Structure formats: C-alpha cells, structure tokens
Amino acid sequence: MLGAAAVGGWATTAVQRRIAEPHPLPRPTAWPLLDDASRLNPTPIKGVVFGAESPEATATRFTPLLQRIAAGQEPALAVSGTRHSMGGQSLLRDGWVLDSLPMNAVAVDADGKTMRVGAGTTWQQVIAALNARGLAPAVMQSNNDFTVGGSISVNCHGWQTNSPPIATTVRRLRVLAADGTIVSCDASENAELFGLVLGGYGLFGVLLEAELAVVPNVVYEPAFTALPTREYAATFADLVYARASVEMAYGRLRVDPDQFLEQAIIGTYVPQPDSKGRVLPLPEMAVDGVARTIFRGSAGSGSGKARRWWLEREVGPWLAKPISRNVLLNEPAALFGNRTAETTDILHEYFVPQARLWDFVAQVKTIVPREEGDLLNVTVRDVRRDSRSTLAYARDDMFGLVMLFVQERTVVAEERMQRMTRSLIDAVLDVGGTFYLPYRPHATAAQLRRAYPAWDAAMAAKRRLDPAGVFQNELYRRYGNA
Ligand SMILES: Cc1cc2nc3c(=O)[nH]c(=O)nc-3n(C[C@H](O)[C@H](O)[C@H](O)COP(=O)(O)OP(=O)(O)OC[C@H]3O[C@@H](n4cnc5c(N)ncnc54)[C@H](O)[C@@H]3O)c2cc1C
C-alpha cells in the first residue's frame, strides 16, 4: 500500500514551509497522482500537507491554509490516513490532501483503561505500545494497517463479539474545526459534533486526537464449528451469545461454485484462565507463505476455492493453536493482498439484520454468478447496535458480510461491478439492511439515502459547521449535494 509518506522528502518540506508562511503563494507543485487501496482512483491533487505530532502544532500549521481555503484562495482539503478506503474518500481531485501519519503519539493512561492517541497512529503502532503494557485495543478492524483517525472516521468494526462499532469505545475527541480552532467533544460536550465525526468521513473537521477504551491482552483458545449457512444465526447465538466467555468470533462462507455460500464455519475464541493482562510476545507477521499461496491461488478458480474450503474446514482446526488477542489483531492486510497489475481486490460490506441473514444470502447466490463476480472470500462479523454515530450503519444488531471480489482494472469490469453492487444494495435494503461507505461509490444517491436516512440532515449540518466547504473529498463530491 502506497503510504503518503512515500511522497515525503524535499517536496514535503517545501510544502510545509509554504503552509507555515503567513501568506503562502498558491503555486501548484508537480505531485504524482495519489491513489487509494482500490488501485482504481489515480487522482491529480494540488499537494500533500503533513500533520504534526501534537494537536496544537497541527492546528498552528494548518490554520493559515484553512483560512485561505475559506476565503476561496486555495482549493479544499481532504484528510487521509493510510488510504485503505476505496472510493476517493481520502482524496480530492485538484485539492489539498492532509496526510495524518505524523500525528502518531500514543499515551496509555495510568489506570490502564484508556489511551490517548494521535489520529495518524496506525493500529500496528497502537498494538506495539499496548502490548508492552499487557493491554490491547477494544475494537478495531481485522488488520493493523489503518490509522485510528481513518478507523473512527468510517466508524470501523472488527470481529470482537457483542460489540457495536468503534464509536462506543471513543471517550473523547479533539477536532480541528474549519475555522482553525481545536474543539473537544464527547457524548455530553459538543455532542452534535461528536456524533457527526464518528463515521463522518473527514467532512466535519480533522480528527487530531482520540481517547479510546483499551482492554487487557489475553491468550485465546480457538474452536471451529462447520454448519449450513441457513442455520448461521441460530448457531451463532448458541455458540457466542449463550456463552459470555467468547470474546472474538467470525464466520466464513464457502465460495466455490459447488455449494456456493451454502456452508459456513464459525471460529470462536475464549480466553485461557489467568492469561488476562499478561505481557506476551508479539512476533512479526511474514507476508509470504503457504496460506497466502493457497488464498491467491483460488482467485478465478472454482477448484482452487473448493480446495481452500476443504483445507479450512478439515485441516485448519488441527493447525489452530492458542493465540494472543494482539497477535490476532496485528495481521497486516498485505498478508493476503493482490499484487497483480491486471486485477485488484475490491471489498464490499453489507449489514444484515441477524434474522434475515439467509434471506440476503439467497439473493447474493443469484446476483453474483449472474454478474460473473469473482467472489474470493466472505467473512461474517457480529456488529451490535450503534446508537452513537449520526451516520450509523448498524441501527440494529447486524451481521456484517465482508465480501472480497477480484476485479479486472478495466472500464468494462468497473461497469459490471457497479451493476452488481447496485443489485446487492437493493437486496440488502429489501431485508432492512445497510451497506458500508468506505468502498466503491457505486450506490445511487437514492440507495445511499435509504441506507442512511440521516444523510441529508448530516449534510445540512456540514454546511452549517463548514459553510465554505473547507473539508471535502470525492465521497462528498459524489453524494454531498446529490
Ligand atoms: C484490506 C482491508 C480490510 C478492511 N477490513 C475492515 C474491517 O475489518 N472492518 C472495518 O470496519 N473496515 C475494514 N476496512 C475498511 C477500513 O476500515 C477503512 O477503509 C478505514 O478508513 C481505513 O483507515 P485509513 O487510515 O486507511 O483511512 P483512509 O482511507 O485514509 O480514510 C478514510 C476516511 O477517513 C477520513 N479520515 C482519515 N483520517 C482522518 C482524520 N485524522 N480526521 C478526519 N478524517 C479522517 C478520510 O477523509 C476518509 O474519508 C478494510 C479495508 C481494507 C482495504
């Protein structure tokens, strides 16, 4: 993944110097195109500007630029973490991009229950700091590559059980507002801004620092159950909700053509007694290996997918060993990432009310083969109701179905993907579900409004809080006024 740090060096220093000057001359620089994890979004931008380690230093550095943008003397600004979103959410054509990666301080509070973390800190950095104290993140994604700011701005979820998305673990935020002031917000102070920023895609201000709940690190015993997908909701309730001890759980669905999406495996993780809070080793993850070869070898191959399913069901449980929470969470996305020039991996995620899971899967079984989608992987996550974020996607207890497709990097493939995505969105809306916004912007504006009934009110709040449109990105350009 091309981190924005890759465009640092002399050019960075030059841009930062200009931003720090009282009256910087707006001169376009010869920047490369910036892309995101989709590898379908090469976007010409005006320049990259870098955050600083402390919130105050970032505010001082950016206030002159924000004022010039508000006065119409500079184009608007998009905020970026590690750009693992896939639809230009972290990019702005011909605009400025604020790279948050230097904003990466981590301080664990003395009581070991919360941490204060710079918004540009990656989970890999967070886990290293917490692990040394016998602690671990409470909620994060299934990979470690993302920034905390990017994670809060999409309101990410993971495979922690019985848990709403990350919003519920956020105690307090410090946000750089469009007028250059630093605003503190939490569930009672500046609560409107708090709700908007949680899952607000960088449109309401720059997240500078977050106070987040942390939990003890622990060693888990894994266990696996194979089942028909039809019985997923009932079996999951027996395996997970009926046993309070399960802290992590995921489902995986069979993707080969033989019994497409009809079989599932549920993996559950229960803490070993007395392992709570122990300081445990955190080995580096190798990004090449047998698991990667088997996974990538199943792209475009029904027999490869069938072989992978057999290995996962029959061999996987024998190989599984006790593993710490931090080791589970510290997996880089690159481990299984697509390295070919011709194709790219595209994620979708649909949130389905738990009782309607099979109804939705039955629709997916028709739609994906009809559009010749190469569905490489499906995981199922337990995402509980979120009552905090304005643009909540889990307005009820949901199963999140994360689907990974391999797509050719061509216009024809992109058109087919758009058609398939719209059909899948219609299917999920019909069962009372929603879809996730960090991925390709293929939804129609009408579909987006059905999935996010608070969208228009949130955009009205955006125009009130940021009347000059200082903070923008390609998601906003696509749907902000749609
Ligand atoms: C391989 C892969 C696996 C994934 N797995 C999961 C998963 O398990 N669960 C899940 O929920 N999601 C998952 N995602 C989606 C991922 O959580 C989001 O794309 C997330 O935004 C990535 O963080 P980032 O640092 O790359 O953010 P970016 O992509 O850089 O930014 C995302 C959004 O956040 C905004 N933003 C970033 N930093 C700030 C800031 N400091 N202040 C204000 N706004 C900011 C940006 O403007 C943009 O709108 C996955 C994505 C990929 C590619």
Side-chain angles (χ1 to χ4, degrees), residues 161-220:
T161 55
N162 285 312
S163 177
I166 195 171
T168 40
T169 73
V170 180
R171 301 282 175 264
R172 216 165 62 91
L173 295 172
R174 295 182 78 199
V175 178
L176 182 63
D179 64 2
T181 54
I182 298 180
V183 183
S184 269
C185 56
D186 60 26
S188 48
E189 182 192 7
N190 295 315
E192 183 199 25
L193 183 66
F194 191 59
L196 288 165
V197 170
L198 300 166
Y201 288 84
L203 296 176
F204 301 91
V206 182
L207 194 47
L208 298 170
E209 187 181 72
E211 198 177 309
L212 293 177
V214 299
V215 296
N217 192 21
V218 61
V219 177
Y220 291 126

Side-chain angles (χ1 to χ4, degrees), residues 130-450:
L130 292 180
N131 194 61
R133 305 272 306 261
L135 299 169
V139 169
M140 60 170 274
Q141 300 92 329
S142 51
N143 296 108
N144 69 1
D145 316 64
F146 318 113
T147 59
V148 168
S151 303
I152 294 173
S153 301
V154 301
N155 195 15
C156 77
H157 65 84
W159 48 292
Q160 297 78 23
T161 55
N162 285 312
S163 177
I166 195 171
T168 40
T169 73
V170 180
R171 301 282 175 264
R172 216 165 62 91
L173 295 172
R174 295 182 78 199
V175 178
L176 182 63
D179 64 2
T181 54
I182 298 180
V183 183
S184 269
C185 56
D186 60 26
S188 48
E189 182 192 7
N190 295 315
E192 183 199 25
L193 183 66
F194 191 59
L196 288 165
V197 170
L198 300 166
Y201 288 84
L203 296 176
F204 301 91
V206 182
L207 194 47
L208 298 170
E209 187 181 72
E211 198 177 309
L212 293 177
V214 299
V215 296
N217 192 21
V218 61
V219 177
Y220 291 126
E221 289 288 348
F224 301 90
T225 304
L227 65 152
T229 308
R230 263 175 204 283
E231 295 166 16
Y232 193 95
T235 310
F236 193 86
D238 285 348
L239 289 173
V240 177
Y241 299 148
R243 297 158 65 210
S245 55
V246 177
E247 290 189 357
M248 309 267 296
Y250 68 85
R252 217 185 279 288
L253 304 189
R254 179 171 178 167
V255 290
D256 63 275
D258 194 21
Q259 292 185 52
F260 186 55
L261 304 182
E262 286 181 9
Q263 293 188 0
I265 296 171
I266 297 177
T268 54
Y269 291 78
V270 173
Q272 284 180 345
D274 305 328
S275 67
K276 232 180 189 174
R278 285 220 314 260
V279 177
L280 300 158
L282 192 61
E284 289 253 320
M285 291 264 183
V287 289
D288 280 296
V290 180
R292 176 185 165 80
T293 307
I294 293 168
F295 185 77
R296 294 305 331 173
S298 67
S301 160
S303 59
K305 290 185 176 93
R307 198 162 39 247
R308 183 155 66 88
W309 180 254
W310 181 83
L311 286 168
E312 187 162 353
R313 209 179 69 165
E314 303 300 329
V315 183
W318 293 102
L319 297 179
K321 294 190 179 70
I323 184 165
S324 82
R325 182 180 180 96
N326 279 334
V327 174
L328 272 181
L329 294 175
N330 205 32
E331 183 176 292
L335 202 62
F336 294 105
N338 188 336
R339 296 179 194 158
T340 68
E342 298 76 25
T343 64
T344 188
D345 287 357
I346 293 299
L347 284 163
H348 295 204
E349 184 162 3
Y350 301 97
F351 301 98
V352 187
Q354 295 197 345
R356 305 296 306 272
L357 182 70
W358 178 251
D359 297 335
F360 176 64
V361 170
Q363 292 298 311
V364 180
K365 277 169 61 61
T366 308
I367 294 166
V368 171
R370 188 182 72 210
E371 300 295 345
E372 298 172 33
D374 184 8
L375 181 54
L376 193 55
N377 200 50
V378 183
T379 59
V380 186
R381 321 282 180 85
D382 176 27
V383 186
R384 308 308 291 271
R385 195 168 83 85
D386 166 18
S387 50
R388 270 220 171 154
S389 54
T390 305
L391 290 172
Y393 52 78
R395 294 189 296 281
D396 208 338
D397 292 344
M398 299 283 197
F399 286 128
L401 268 81
V402 182
M403 301 181 186
L404 189 152
F405 290 91
V406 180
Q407 180 192 322
E408 283 178 11
R409 296 169 74 197
T410 63
V411 172
V412 171
E414 183 65 351
E415 284 168 1
R416 192 186 295 148
M417 181 62 94
Q418 183 186 72
R419 215 167 42 233
M420 183 177 76
T421 307
R422 288 181 177 177
S423 298
L424 291 169
I425 292 174
D426 278 342
V428 85
L429 292 172
D430 284 349
V431 298
T434 52
F435 66 95
Y436 205 17
L437 286 178
Y439 301 134
R440 303 290 295 149
H442 288 323
T444 64
Q447 288 179 322
L448 179 114
R449 283 204 176 80
R450 270 184 77 193

